[in-house]
Amino acid sequence: TTRGGHKLPQNMTNHDAFDNGLKAKMMLVDELSKHYEYITVNNVNNDNHSASFGYTVNSAFKQICDVKYDNVEVHNHKSFLSYYFVGNHCFVITHGKDAKHMKFGFKPQLDHKTTYKIDQFLKNEKIYKKAEFIEISKGDSHQCLFDMCSSDDFDYFCYPALSPSSEWVQTNFTKGRSGFVTMTISVDSNDKTVKPYFFN
């Protein structure tokens, strides 16, 4: 992790991790580009896991996509909270814990402290004036939770991880489930169709 504190077991060298990470991202966009006219990839690069290594993989990925595809656009976000718009929707994306300052990240369930931080961010960025529907999209907790009720101002979605739990987590807690989510939205309304898919 970026703060040290405990060493994580490794089954790949840094070279292997880079090669496999980049290969996986290229395989994903290669397949998606066969089915969609236009693809935008938003990468979160401020987290407590990958530090500059994650950005290096994503930067290489962006440079390859810029040359290889006319219909793929890659954004590598460096802020703890970043955002993008789709129609009347604003998606605020975050890992949930930053690379340097946060000892405790955003929790899987929305609490008052997190609500206040998010609300201040949305006000500072004037997002309330720019979007009718707002979703906070986070990872970190490796859970699949969709909260559309705790806040009157935004949805709070926790997304699962593609990777399985670490050996330490599986030994001390549970195996957990890895997977991904597809979402279809209406650009002019808050209609969402959310479909999670799990590997185990």
Side-chain angles (χ1 to χ4, degrees):
T1 62
T2 57
R3 296 176 187 82
H6 63 280
K7 191 169 183 177
L8 299 174
Q10 304 295 323
N11 59 6
M12 287 188 286
T13 66
N14 284 346
H15 298 93
D16 293 333
F18 177 88
D19 289 343
N20 282 291
L22 183 57
K23 181 180 179 181
K25 294 179 83 71
M26 291 308 305
M27 287 172 62
L28 177 63
V29 79
D30 280 342
E31 187 60 34
L32 290 175
S33 66
K34 299 174 186 175
H35 305 282
Y36 295 97
E37 182 180 352
Y38 188 77
I39 299 167
T40 302
V41 180
N42 289 282
N43 292 313
V44 174
N45 290 286
N46 189 328
D47 64 86
N48 64 316
H49 292 166
S50 62
S52 58
F53 187 84
Y55 180 79
T56 302
V57 172
N58 286 326
S59 180
F61 171 69
K62 174 177 169 49
Q63 292 181 53
I64 293 169
C65 287
D66 287 348
V67 173
K68 186 174 181 180
Y69 301 103
D70 292 328
N71 65 330
V72 177
E73 185 177 3
V74 179
H75 301 281
N76 288 325
H77 301 278
K78 298 178 187 176
S79 300
F80 170 62
L81 290 167
S82 301
Y83 57 91
Y84 61 91
F85 296 92
V86 178
N88 288 328
H89 296 258
C90 179
F91 292 88
V92 178
I93 54 176
T94 180
H95 174 70
K97 191 180 287 183
D98 75 341
K100 184 176 181 181
H101 301 289
M102 297 178 74
K103 185 175 182 182
F104 303 104
F106 287 176
K107 295 179 181 178
Q109 285 83 28
L110 191 62
D111 59 12
H112 294 298
K113 186 176 180 181
T114 303
T115 301
Y116 178 77
K117 286 182 179 179
I118 292 170
D119 178 65
Q120 291 303 300
F121 173 80
L122 296 174
K123 287 177 179 174
N124 288 337
E125 296 295 318
K126 298 179 174 52
I127 292 174
Y128 286 131
K129 296 179 180 179
K130 299 174 185 176
E132 193 171 346
F133 313 108
I134 302 169
E135 177 189 314
I136 311 304
S137 311
K138 70 171 283 291
D140 187 40
S141 56
H142 295 217
Q143 295 182 6
C144 187
L145 302 168
F146 305 111
D147 183 351
M148 296 176 248
C149 298
S150 294
S151 169
D152 293 332
D153 299 312
F154 54 82
D155 294 339
Y156 188 73
F157 284 11
C158 298
Y159 288 92
L162 282 170
S163 58
S165 301
S166 68
E167 183 181 11
W168 183 85
V169 169
Q170 292 187 39
T171 301
N172 291 283
F173 298 98
T174 62
K175 183 179 179 183
R177 303 173 79 187
S178 57
F180 63 95
V181 173
T182 63
M183 180 188 297
T184 304
I185 66 169
S186 169
V187 294
D188 297 319
S189 72
N190 205 20
D191 292 336
K192 294 180 180 178
T193 302
V194 180
K195 292 184 179 180
Y197 300 87
F198 298 104
F199 302 126
N200 50 8

